[in-house]
Amino acid sequence: MSALQSLKQHFQKIDNFNHLSSICNWDAAAMMPSGGNEARSRAMADLSVHIHQLKTAPQLEEWFGKAAQQTLSVQETAELREMKRTWQMANVLPVSLIEAKSLAGSKCEHAWRSQRVNNDWQGFAKNWQEVVTLSQQEAQIRAEATGLSPYDAMLDIYEPGTNSHTLSQTFDSIKSWLPSLIDEVVEKQSHQSIIQSSGTFATAKQKALGLQVMELLQFDFSHGRLDESVHPFCGGVASDVRITTRYNEQEFMQSLMGIVHETGHARYEQGLPVHLAGTPSGEARSMGIHESQSLFFEMQLGRSQAFINHLSRLATQQFTDHAPALFAPDNLIKLYTQVKKDFIRVDADELTYPAHVILRFEIERDLINGNISYKDVPELWDNKMQSYLGLSTAGNYKNGCMQDIHWTDGSFGYFPSYTLGAMNAAQFMAAMKQTVNVDETIRSGDLTPIFNWLSEKIWSKGSLLSTDELVKQATGETLNPLHFQEHLRSRYL
Amino acid sequence: MSALQSLKQHFQKIDNFNHLSSICNWDAAAMMPSGGNEARSRAMADLSVHIHQLKTAPQLEEWFGKAAQQTLSVQETAELREMKRTWQMANVLPVSLIEAKSLAGSKCEHAWRSQRVNNDWQGFAKNWQEVVTLSQQEAQIRAEATGLSPYDAMLDIYEPGTNSHTLSQTFDSIKSWLPSLIDEVVEKQSHQSIIQSSGTFATAKQKALGLQVMELLQFDFSHGRLDESVHPFCGGVASDVRITTRYNEQEFMQSLMGIVHETGHARYEQGLPVHLAGTPSGEARSMGIHESQSLFFEMQLGRSQAFINHLSRLATQQFTDHAPALFAPDNLIKLYTQVKKDFIRVDADELTYPAHVILRFEIERDLINGNISYKDVPELWDNKMQSYLGLSTAGNYKNGCMQDIHWTDGSFGYFPSYTLGAMNAAQFMAAMKQTVNVDETIRSGDLTPIFNWLSEKIWSKGSLLSTDELVKQATGETLNPLHFQEHLRSRYL
């Protein structure tokens, strides 16, 4: 057996244990009763240790050395590159730092749940200081191993190949037009009349509607399911994708569009190359590309006039005890494109969302690079919120810098993926429209040409190409934020 | 750390991986879409290999040696005994035989699914011959390791401490009165009038009814769930027990009593000693004791007049679109105690079930001990069916010796557990009635005293005692089939 073959066999084994981890994580969120948590946590901890041992197995170094001497095809070269990346990621940090950060992160996150409610910045800062320090140490070690700057080394975990220099330029360009665009749109929308959602929407009907929309989006139910969890997510494995939603009987819109979003993630997973299943090159390219698919479904498809027409028809059929005016296409599209300057990222609309992300990017970049202190964060947050959205968070920590879970356990470098996803989604749509009559296709009810495009250009590529190369082959150019700007202006002005 | 401590820590790790295995097996039966099967099978195979490696880890031999020199408490002695049993079970067979049997068993079982439908004994026998040969080899190796006869060594997998000599005597005694009792009851019941179930029973209502009955049986929903699967079972782990049922909208009785049965298994698991969780001594004592709890719930509690009164009330409330006469206590109890001589074990009633088990026991005992050939099985089956139930299976293989899955993959030694369970359940009830007013307790709707008795005498003991000792401490004597006879006569005559 060649060294590459040995590696592939070993990574297949890692994939098999990751499979069990994914299914049991889904179970914990969607199925497990509360009393099952303690034993499950113990079992999952042992599984993590086992997976880490497999990723750091001593024989891997020799195999990687020998494989580098083999003559490899283009595909094999990519396979080797991605396995090596996984291996290096697992080996770069000393176990003592992993454990210390995990401990500090758990402690900080756990306390944060009540501290946030109590707006207790002082209490939070006491725990968070250590998380930041350990994350800076982590970034330093990763930087030395990769030759990147500390923050870029953290970015690299989620977005291989992306760097904060380019990202800063991109975000600066967005900042140059976004605040005024938001003002313009808010002013424009202040004159429109909307019928707001009222009454109750039975969970069973919302679920039936969600399943119909998943059918329209060609979710493959022989390779996946829809269930419920407190925090909606897309989990499971590529051959068995588990998406979840949360139903609120006071309104139907959030869960419905949430399902569209998760279905985007799911179809990417379901469309990954089967012949590469089980090795890292067969996995999704990056968090930003994953998010580009969910946002393509949610923002590009889901909020288009043609798609809203389908939602209108299906919702009217489902919620027969409501006045149909609420579901009229014109009203539904107004509801789904309302813009509001507000404090909370997770509730933000398509237009204000990038402002929330850019703010976080700028702060975490400077924090991890050691240019600011954790103590500076509340004031910087307030300044930037005033500047981007005209809102002050002075003294309002719970709706300011304490609102997200990401930083509590030291997940620095993740936030940019959201807006990278939004920008890529807009660029994919612009490129797709050159060969596919997208609106007509959606109207027809058979969206196959759209999914064929995504499958051919994105899903089937797995991680064979770099992100830049993937985007370039799909759209003719690397990431260009003008498509995103164009999309927003055309939808909201 | 003492050797015993090292062992306990190691077995906790085994338990953690068993936990993941149980949850993923439940998922495969209750949740997984068909397309998930291939990747799941691969993942589960790797998990099995890992668990086997843990059970056969080289350091265990030294630890068991050292632990044998330690001064141990009574509890520690039991803990060590059960860990050693698990270790020996895992080590006794050569890997080549495990693999060969697994391969032959999978092949035979897979082909059996269509061969049974086609009544194809010749085709089946061709595969089955090898399964029998390999099982005989397995039994021989187990016999040499344990000093038992070959068949007793197979029995020992499921029923440690039970031997076929005693079991033959017990079953002979049952055979001396069962066939005539069946005749008598069938004759008696031929004169009674019953309103048969008709109409449809919506799945949602059946489920609601099942959940109500689980509440009555004090199933702990913070440590378990009810779901659906093709073959109902009790899975999951002690802190998170997953029971399943199958709904048939043409009738409600089978699923309902199936839920009562699985709830019995579940409460045993939920009641296992928490302070021993994670080591074999904290697990259920044996298959027969497990079945004694499900049959205690299904047969002793579930078919009692007082319990049927509850079912009658709850079913009447639930199925308001049916004439209530069907659910009248008198009618319901007649339906739930109908006796019929028939071919199929899984559909058999309480009274004829032991005949099906004894027949299988006698055949598999003689087969594994090498006293008969696999070719003799159809004729023996026919003879015994005629003798015990007055039915001929000559040429009717699919409803004769080809009806069960157990033998297709070589699971010889399992069948007796069913009737051991039924006998133990009757004996437990007889003992319980000496201190608990069972009928009055059931009538009151608060069954706590019944469950306290089971918890104290059975559930909380885990595997600390041998089966004989467990039954003796609980009831004052070891297994005595007279209680079972007494129970059947009092219910059916």
Side-chain angles (χ1 to χ4, degrees):
Chain A
M1 196 184 291
S2 76
L4 185 74
Q5 280 303 319
S6 300
L7 284 168
K8 285 170 75 168
Q9 202 170 67
H10 188 83
F11 275 81
Q12 174 70 62
K13 191 186 279 188
I14 294 173
D15 187 68
N16 286 339
F17 285 98
N18 280 335
H19 175 130
L20 303 172
S21 175
S22 294
I23 294 298
C24 289
N25 272 326
W26 166 84
D27 182 88
M31 295 287 150
M32 188 179 74
S34 60
N37 189 53
E38 198 182 317
R40 177 68 58 85
S41 299
R42 270 202 308 272
M44 293 305 280
D46 265 4
L47 180 58
S48 293
V49 169
H50 183 60
I51 291 171
H52 188 74
Q53 283 170 348
L54 288 173
K55 285 183 180 170
T56 57
Q59 67 269 32
L60 291 179
E61 184 162 10
E62 190 194 325
W63 286 340
F64 277 116
K66 284 189 180 159
Q69 312 300 319
Q70 285 182 241
T71 309
L72 301 176
S73 68
V74 174
Q75 178 179 308
E76 288 170 336
T77 303
E79 287 174 356
L80 182 61
R81 180 191 69 223
E82 296 302 321
M83 288 191 286
K84 196 162 183 180
R85 180 175 144 78
T86 303
W87 177 59
Q88 286 168 331
M89 281 280 170
N91 281 276
V92 68
L93 297 181
V95 173
S96 59
L97 180 61
I98 297 176
E99 285 176 353
K101 191 183 168 197
S102 165
L103 209 67
S106 297
K107 187 181 164 193
C108 183
E109 181 193 319
H110 181 77
W112 163 78
R113 291 180 190 276
S114 45
Q115 285 162 345
R116 186 191 169 200
V117 177
N118 299 320
N119 202 38
D120 177 14
W121 163 254
Q122 293 302 332
F124 176 71
K126 224 178 283 173
N127 293 324
W128 196 46
Q129 180 182 6
E130 199 189 345
V131 176
V132 171
T133 304
L134 292 167
S135 299
Q136 287 169 333
Q137 287 174 18
E138 174 186 352
Q140 193 55 48
I141 294 171
R142 290 186 183 277
E144 280 159 23
T146 54
L148 302 170
S149 74
Y151 180 68
D152 283 17
M154 297 298 281
L155 261 183
D156 186 62
I157 302 171
Y158 311 103
E159 297 299 333
T162 298
N163 66 77
S164 57
H165 178 73
T166 317
L167 209 51
S168 299
Q169 287 181 326
T170 304
F171 285 167
D172 282 348
S173 121
I174 292 180
K175 272 161 64 181
S176 72
W177 49 261
L178 187 65
S180 60
L181 178 60
I182 292 172
D183 285 337
E184 206 174 338
V185 172
V186 168
E187 155 62 15
K188 183 185 164 209
Q189 291 189 347
S190 68
H191 305 294
Q192 72 189 4
S193 66
I194 303 190
I195 303 166
Q196 294 292 342
S197 169
S198 66
T200 61
F201 302 85
T203 294
K205 289 188 175 187
Q206 288 196 53
K207 184 174 179 181
L209 176 60
L211 291 170
Q212 284 177 317
V213 172
M214 286 169 76
E215 293 273 5
L216 184 63
L217 295 169
Q218 301 183 13
F219 180 93
D220 179 354
F221 285 94
S222 72
H223 288 98
R225 316 176 29 105
L226 167 69
D227 293 279
E228 293 175 51
S229 70
V230 177
H231 301 287
F233 68 103
C234 171
V237 297
S239 61
D240 181 2
V241 182
R242 310 286 175 97
I243 71 171
T244 69
T245 189
R246 174 182 45 191
Y247 300 106
N248 168 5
E249 297 214 325
Q250 304 313 303
E251 70 93 37
F252 73 100
M253 287 181 49
Q254 205 175 353
S255 174
L256 181 58
M257 204 51 91
I259 288 174
V260 173
H261 180 96
E262 301 305 338
T263 301
H265 282 305
R267 292 227 50 201
Y268 185 13
E269 289 288 320
Q270 291 180 335
L272 287 169
V274 173
H275 70 286
L276 296 175
T279 61
S281 58
E283 293 170 12
R285 176 61 278 182
S286 73
M287 297 314 299
I289 296 298
H290 228 308
E291 199 67 14
S292 81
Q293 298 309 292
S294 55
L295 290 175
F296 187 94
F297 276 57
E298 182 190 349
M299 299 299 180
Q300 301 297 326
L301 283 185
R303 280 172 167 80
S304 70
Q305 183 66 61
F307 197 84
I308 292 282
N309 289 347
H310 287 298
L311 295 186
S312 167
R313 174 176 48 82
L314 294 170
T316 308
Q317 285 166 4
Q318 198 64 244
F319 303 119
T320 46
D321 44 350
H322 284 71
L326 171 63
F327 314 114
D330 276 4
N331 193 58
L332 216 48
I333 208 161
K334 280 185 203 158
L335 284 167
Y336 269 128
T337 54
Q338 267 185 302
V339 174
K340 186 162 182 262
K341 298 184 194 178
D342 219 331
F343 293 105
I344 305 299
R345 175 186 57 85
V346 294
D347 297 334
D349 53 78
E350 182 180 22
L351 195 59
T352 57
Y353 205 106
H356 293 277
V357 167
I358 293 171
L359 172 158
R360 285 157 177 77
F361 161 73
E362 292 173 341
I363 293 176
E364 69 176 17
R365 175 194 61 197
D366 294 349
L367 189 63
I368 293 300
N369 285 337
N371 299 331
I372 59 169
S373 155
Y374 73 95
K375 290 182 200 160
D376 305 329
V377 171
E379 197 186 329
L380 281 166
W381 195 285
D382 179 40
N383 291 344
K384 287 174 190 289
M385 274 301 278
Q386 296 210 37
S387 148
Y388 306 159
L389 289 172
L391 298 169
S392 169
T393 59
N396 187 0
Y397 309 105
K398 65 178 173 182
N399 294 326
C401 65
M402 284 176 69
Q403 71 180 266
D404 295 306
I405 197 172
H406 303 56
W407 287 351
T408 67
D409 73 348
S411 296
F412 294 101
Y414 188 95
F415 281 121
S417 299
Y418 296 115
T419 295
L420 284 168
M423 293 188 291
N424 277 314
Q427 187 162 332
F428 292 148
M429 182 55 102
M432 188 187 290
K433 284 187 167 169
Q434 292 172 11
T435 55
V436 180
N437 187 335
V438 172
D439 289 332
E440 185 46 49
T441 300
I442 299 174
R443 251 190 296 277
S444 79
D446 176 3
L447 280 64
T448 305
I450 293 169
F451 302 135
N452 282 349
W453 193 98
L454 292 171
S455 172
E456 187 199 332
K457 310 279 188 188
I458 317 289
W459 305 343
S460 66
K461 302 294 185 193
S463 286
L464 288 176
L465 307 174
S466 70
T467 304
D468 268 2
E469 197 52 40
L470 179 78
V471 175
K472 198 172 168 186
Q473 287 192 17
T475 69
E477 58 184 333
T478 54
L479 181 63
N480 177 354
L482 286 177
H483 298 290
F484 185 49
Q485 183 183 11
E486 185 48 44
H487 158 70
L488 293 177
R489 293 184 63 85
S490 113
R491 170 166 294 166
Y492 289 95
L493 283 186
Chain B
M1 196 185 292
S2 75
L4 185 73
Q5 282 302 321
S6 300
L7 283 168
K8 284 168 76 169
Q9 202 170 67
H10 188 83
F11 275 82
Q12 173 69 63
K13 190 185 280 188
I14 295 173
D15 187 68
N16 286 339
F17 285 98
N18 280 335
H19 175 131
L20 304 172
S21 174
S22 294
I23 294 298
C24 289
N25 272 325
W26 167 84
D27 182 88
M31 295 287 150
M32 188 180 76
S34 60
N37 189 54
E38 198 182 318
R40 178 68 58 84
S41 300
R42 270 202 308 271
M44 293 304 280
D46 265 4
L47 180 58
S48 293
V49 169
H50 183 60
I51 291 171
H52 186 74
Q53 283 170 347
L54 288 172
K55 285 184 182 171
T56 56
Q59 67 269 34
L60 291 179
E61 184 162 11
E62 190 194 326
W63 286 340
F64 278 116
K66 285 189 179 161
Q69 310 300 319
Q70 285 182 241
T71 308
L72 301 177
S73 68
V74 174
Q75 179 181 309
E76 288 170 336
T77 304
E79 288 175 354
L80 182 61
R81 180 192 68 222
E82 296 301 322
M83 288 190 287
K84 197 161 183 180
R85 183 176 141 76
T86 303
W87 177 58
Q88 287 168 331
M89 282 280 169
N91 281 276
V92 67
L93 297 181
V95 172
S96 59
L97 180 60
I98 297 175
E99 286 176 353
K101 193 184 165 195
S102 165
L103 209 68
S106 297
K107 186 180 166 194
C108 182
E109 181 193 318
H110 181 78
W112 164 78
R113 292 180 190 274
S114 46
Q115 286 162 344
R116 186 191 169 199
V117 178
N118 299 321
N119 201 38
D120 176 14
W121 163 255
Q122 293 302 332
F124 177 71
K126 225 178 283 175
N127 293 324
W128 197 47
Q129 180 180 8
E130 198 188 345
V131 175
V132 171
T133 304
L134 291 167
S135 299
Q136 287 168 333
Q137 287 175 17
E138 173 187 353
Q140 193 56 47
I141 294 170
R142 291 185 183 277
E144 281 158 22
T146 54
L148 302 169
S149 72
Y151 180 68
D152 283 17
M154 297 298 280
L155 261 183
D156 186 61
I157 302 171
Y158 312 102
E159 297 299 332
T162 298
N163 66 77
S164 57
H165 178 72
T166 316
L167 209 51
S168 299
Q169 287 181 327
T170 304
F171 285 167
D172 282 349
S173 121
I174 292 179
K175 274 161 62 181
S176 73
W177 51 261
L178 187 64
S180 60
L181 179 60
I182 293 172
D183 284 339
E184 209 175 336
V185 172
V186 168
E187 157 60 18
K188 184 188 162 206
Q189 292 188 345
S190 68
H191 303 294
Q192 71 190 4
S193 65
I194 304 189
I195 302 165
Q196 294 292 342
S197 168
S198 66
T200 61
F201 302 84
T203 293
K205 290 188 175 189
Q206 289 196 52
K207 184 174 180 183
L209 175 61
L211 290 170
Q212 284 177 317
V213 172
M214 286 168 76
E215 292 273 7
L216 185 64
L217 295 170
Q218 300 184 13
F219 180 94
D220 179 356
F221 286 95
S222 71
H223 288 97
R225 315 177 28 105
L226 168 69
D227 294 278
E228 293 175 50
S229 70
V230 177
H231 302 287
F233 68 103
C234 171
V237 297
S239 60
D240 182 2
V241 182
R242 311 285 175 97
I243 70 171
T244 69
T245 189
R246 174 183 44 192
Y247 301 106
N248 168 4
E249 297 214 325
Q250 304 313 303
E251 69 92 36
F252 72 100
M253 289 181 48
Q254 207 175 353
S255 173
L256 181 58
M257 204 50 92
I259 288 174
V260 173
H261 179 96
E262 300 305 338
T263 300
H265 281 306
R267 293 228 49 201
Y268 186 13
E269 289 287 320
Q270 291 180 335
L272 287 169
V274 173
H275 70 287
L276 296 174
T279 61
S281 58
E283 294 172 10
R285 178 59 279 184
S286 73
M287 298 314 298
I289 296 298
H290 228 309
E291 200 67 14
S292 81
Q293 298 308 292
S294 54
L295 290 175
F296 187 94
F297 276 57
E298 182 189 351
M299 298 301 179
Q300 301 296 327
L301 284 186
R303 282 172 166 79
S304 70
Q305 183 67 60
F307 197 85
I308 292 282
N309 289 347
H310 287 298
L311 295 186
S312 166
R313 175 176 47 82
L314 294 169
T316 307
Q317 285 166 5
Q318 198 62 244
F319 303 117
T320 46
D321 45 350
H322 285 71
L326 171 63
F327 313 114
D330 275 5
N331 193 59
L332 216 48
I333 208 161
K334 279 186 205 159
L335 284 166
Y336 268 129
T337 55
Q338 267 184 301
V339 173
K340 186 160 182 262
K341 298 183 195 178
D342 220 331
F343 293 105
I344 305 299
R345 176 186 58 83
V346 295
D347 297 333
D349 53 79
E350 181 180 23
L351 195 59
T352 58
Y353 204 105
H356 292 278
V357 167
I358 294 170
L359 172 157
R360 285 157 176 78
F361 161 73
E362 292 173 340
I363 294 175
E364 69 177 17
R365 176 194 60 196
D366 295 348
L367 189 64
I368 293 300
N369 285 337
N371 299 330
I372 60 170
S373 155
Y374 73 96
K375 292 182 200 159
D376 304 328
V377 171
E379 196 185 330
L380 281 166
W381 194 286
D382 180 39
N383 292 343
K384 287 174 191 288
M385 275 300 277
Q386 297 212 33
S387 149
Y388 307 158
L389 289 172
L391 298 168
S392 169
T393 59
N396 186 359
Y397 308 105
K398 66 179 173 181
N399 294 325
C401 65
M402 282 176 70
Q403 70 181 266
D404 296 305
I405 197 172
H406 302 56
W407 287 351
T408 65
D409 72 349
S411 296
F412 295 101
Y414 187 97
F415 282 120
S417 300
Y418 296 115
T419 295
L420 284 168
M423 292 188 290
N424 278 312
Q427 187 161 334
F428 293 148
M429 181 55 101
M432 187 186 290
K433 284 187 168 170
Q434 291 173 12
T435 55
V436 179
N437 188 335
V438 171
D439 288 332
E440 186 45 47
T441 300
I442 298 174
R443 252 189 296 275
S444 79
D446 177 3
L447 280 63
T448 307
I450 293 169
F451 302 135
N452 283 348
W453 193 98
L454 292 172
S455 172
E456 185 198 332
K457 310 279 188 188
I458 317 288
W459 304 342
S460 66
K461 302 294 185 193
S463 286
L464 289 175
L465 307 173
S466 71
T467 305
D468 268 2
E469 196 54 39
L470 179 78
V471 174
K472 199 171 167 186
Q473 288 192 15
T475 68
E477 59 184 332
T478 54
L479 180 62
N480 177 354
L482 285 177
H483 298 290
F484 185 50
Q485 184 183 9
E486 185 49 42
H487 158 71
L488 294 177
R489 293 184 63 86
S490 114
R491 169 164 294 164
Y492 291 94
L493 282 187

